[in-house]
């Protein structure tokens, strides 16, 4: 059976939907705030351009040329047993591990949609109390919200590539962009708008610590969805003549554009109404709601629109995190789609419940390791080790296991000789070394 293929635009929007997620709207603004703005953004942009895009294209190449789930693609593209170990990194999708906490955060967004309607917190104390309802006090509420997110994601996956994933993304990604552009136009009337732009773009290198650099590099991987086989799974359904290079550039551009847009909007609101940029993970869940509350009715509308956009961003990424496992169970184990979706969803739902309990009063003790909750442990492991590891495998595989001729056969026509040379050099040397540096340093942070 010939599996369904994306349309070209369907692929670009779906891969962009995978890339644009909580990483862009929740994480990027707060780590930019924490690490001082412009200089941090600069490192992030340089990494995306010189390492991120290269790896993204490499992952797309494996997906498209292999045309199957990650494990099968690794097998067919380098039949030599010498490389058999490489596929091990993709046997069990890291996407499911990410989903154990990602889906929990999507649940929080659902809760904030409800808070937007029923009454936003008006002081920082109230905002903290609202957030604590989730983070600590109400595991059952969180489990319910996590369950809703699991079901929504499963419903899209059940419908397959064309009428599920592609349709969902073709609607939601442009909507998200419109929401953020709308918010930006609104924020442009603020005096603080130019301050926000300056904060994001004028670098102050004295603020750039080693830790900031590591976070910027790590985040550029996370935000582009590199290294877990998500983009690979989507690329297996690429139409035959798609130019991978151009498609990859589009995805990276949209991802970066949306992160910057979200950052400018959020900081414009913060500077205008007196929030702190260095507010940490609570930035969008605590500081922003208080600001929206100050704006009265229009603030409620803005809050609703903002959290809706964030929910869209989260869900379109979530489906790409689960699809690799679904594909693997279907193709390798011959499972029906229904069972594959149910099996994958069940797995991360259950572990997700443990993640929730690990941050809930009364349950957290057995789920805390040292000072870190299971939630923190998983997030840290994904960011600092599992995704970089996947990235390195992809770089080594394309750079050394696949024959240069085969790689050239696909990409030379897409990118031309000079760009190909730069890209190939980056994949063989720059990207693996950069990733090693990242993982090594993360160990000692
Ligand atoms: N890129 C997504 C984000 O920024 C997260 C993600 C990682 C999605 C890996 C798919 C694969 O939120």
């Amino acid at each position: 059976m010939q599996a369904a293929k994306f349309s070209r635009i369907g692929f670009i929007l779906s891969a962009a939907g995978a890339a644009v997620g909580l990483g862009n709207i929740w994480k990027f603004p707060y780590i930019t705030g924490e690490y001082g703005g412009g200089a941090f953004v600069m490192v992030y942009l340089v990494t995306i351009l010189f390492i991120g895009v290269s790896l993204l294209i490499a992952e797309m190449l494996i997906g498209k040329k292999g045309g199957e789930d990650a494990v099968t693609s690794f097998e067919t593209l380098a039949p030599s047993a010498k490389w058999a170990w490489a596929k091990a990194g993709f046997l069990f999708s890291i996407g499911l591990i990410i989903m154990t906490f990602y889906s929990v955060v999507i649940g929080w967004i659902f809760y904030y949609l409800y808070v937007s309607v029923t009454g936003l917190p008006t002081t920082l104390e109230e905002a903290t109390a609202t957030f604590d309802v989730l983070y600590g006090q109400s595991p059952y509420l969180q489990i319910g919200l996590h369950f809703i997110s699991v079901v929504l994601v499963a419903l899209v996956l059940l419908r397959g590539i064309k009428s599920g994933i592609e349709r969902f993304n073709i609607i939601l990604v442009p909507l998200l962009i419109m929401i953020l552009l709308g918010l930006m136009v609104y924020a442009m009337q603020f005096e603080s708008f130019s301050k926000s732009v300056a904060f994001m773009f004028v670098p102050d290198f004295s603020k750039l610590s080693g830790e900031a650099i590591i976070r910027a590099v790590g985040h550029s991987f996370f935000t582009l969805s590199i290294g877990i086989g998500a983009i690979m799974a989507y690329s297996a359904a690429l139409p035959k003549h798609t130019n991978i290079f151009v498609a990859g550039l589009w995805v990276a551009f949209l991802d970066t554009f949306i992160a910057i847009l979200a950052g400018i909007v959020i900081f414009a609101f913060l500077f205008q109404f007196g929030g702190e940029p260095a507010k940490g993970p609570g930035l969008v869940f605590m500081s922003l709601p208080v600001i929206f509350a100050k704006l009265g009715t229009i603030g409620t509308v803005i809050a609703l629109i903002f959290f809706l956009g964030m929910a869209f961003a989260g869900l379109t990424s979530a489906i790409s995190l689960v699809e690799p496992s679904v594909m693997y169970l279907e193709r390798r184990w011959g499972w029906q789609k229904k069972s594959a979706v149910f099996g994958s969803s069940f797995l991360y739902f259950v572990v997700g419940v443990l993640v929730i309990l690990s941050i809930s009063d009364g349950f957290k003790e057995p789920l805390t390791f040292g000072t870190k909750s299971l939630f923190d442990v998983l997030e840290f492991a994904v960011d600092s080790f599992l995704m970089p590891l996947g990235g390195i495998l992809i770089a080594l595989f394309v750079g050394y296991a696949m024959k240069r001729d085969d790689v050239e056969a696909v990409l030379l026509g897409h990118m031309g000789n000079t760009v190909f040379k730069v890209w190939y050099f980056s994949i063989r040397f720059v990207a693996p070394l950069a990733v090693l540096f990242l993982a090594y340093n993360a160990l000692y942070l």
Side-chain angles (χ1 to χ4, degrees), residues 18-24 98 102 219 221-226 228 230 255 317-318 320-321 387:
V20 176
L22 303 178
N24 302 57
I98 300 182
Y102 207 83
H219 184 66
F221 279 40
F222 186 79
T223 191
L224 286 180
S225 305
I226 291 167
I228 67 148
D255 184 67
S317 296
S320 78
L321 285 162
M387 289 186 77

Side-chain angles (χ1 to χ4, degrees), residues 28-244:
F28 176 67
Y30 92 70
I31 49 179
T32 300
E34 273 182 354
Y35 292 105
F40 177 84
V41 175
M42 196 97 120
V43 177
Y44 161 84
L45 289 177
V46 167
T47 322
I48 297 246
L49 198 63
F50 290 103
I51 305 170
V53 175
S54 302
L55 281 171
L56 187 68
I57 291 170
E59 183 164 342
M60 288 171 68
L61 175 76
I62 300 178
K64 177 153 188 269
K65 234 179 131 32
E68 282 291 337
D69 62 278
V71 174
T72 314
S73 292
F74 272 94
E75 278 173 7
T76 38
L77 293 180
S80 147
K82 219 173 73 200
W83 284 92
W85 55 272
K87 68 179 183 226
F90 296 84
L91 276 179
F92 181 79
S93 165
I94 295 165
L96 290 189
I97 305 182
I98 300 182
M99 276 307 276
T100 61
F101 57 85
Y102 207 83
S103 169
V104 173
V105 180
I106 294 179
W108 296 352
I109 303 171
F110 293 156
Y111 182 70
Y112 274 83
L113 282 169
Y114 165 81
V115 169
S116 307
V117 182
T118 51
L120 290 160
T122 51
T123 61
L124 210 54
E125 288 73 51
E126 271 179 50
T128 313
T130 309
F131 191 61
D132 283 349
V133 169
L134 294 174
Y135 207 98
Q137 289 162 7
S138 309
Y140 302 115
L141 171 66
Q142 276 196 86
I143 292 172
L145 294 166
H146 166 49
F147 184 70
I148 297 177
S149 142
V150 174
V151 171
L152 284 176
V153 170
L155 287 177
V156 177
L157 289 172
L158 278 175
R159 304 181 62 128
I161 292 275
K162 266 288 212 231
S163 49
I165 298 176
E166 172 164 312
R167 190 177 297 166
F168 194 66
N169 280 292
I170 278 193
I171 299 171
L172 291 193
V173 173
L175 253 179
L176 170 66
I177 296 178
M178 280 183 328
I179 286 176
L180 285 173
L181 282 176
L183 289 175
M184 190 181 84
V185 170
Y186 183 80
M188 273 164 110
Q189 51 166 332
F190 299 162
E191 263 166 44
S192 66
F193 186 77
S194 51
K195 193 170 156 204
S196 166
V197 175
F199 179 72
M200 296 277 296
F201 290 112
V202 180
D204 171 359
F205 286 105
S206 67
K207 289 196 179 138
L208 199 64
S209 60
E211 186 181 327
I213 296 179
I214 291 163
R215 292 289 293 215
V217 177
H219 184 66
S220 66
F221 279 40
F222 186 79
T223 191
L224 286 180
S225 305
I226 291 167
I228 67 148
I231 297 290
M232 210 184 283
Y234 280 8
S235 304
L238 261 174
K240 214 168 174 182
H241 298 293
T242 312
N243 183 322
I244 297 184

Side-chain angles (χ1 to χ4, degrees), residues 100-101 104 139 142-143 146 346-360 363-369 373-376 378:
T100 61
F101 57 85
V104 173
Q142 276 196 86
I143 292 172
H146 166 49
F346 182 76
L347 257 181
Y348 80 80
F349 173 72
V350 173
V351 183
V353 169
L354 295 179
V355 165
I356 291 173
L357 295 179
S358 82
I359 53 167
S360 298
F363 297 96
K364 59 168 84 138
E365 284 70 27
L367 295 162
T368 304
F369 308 91
S373 63
L374 180 63
F375 190 128
D376 298 336
L378 288 174

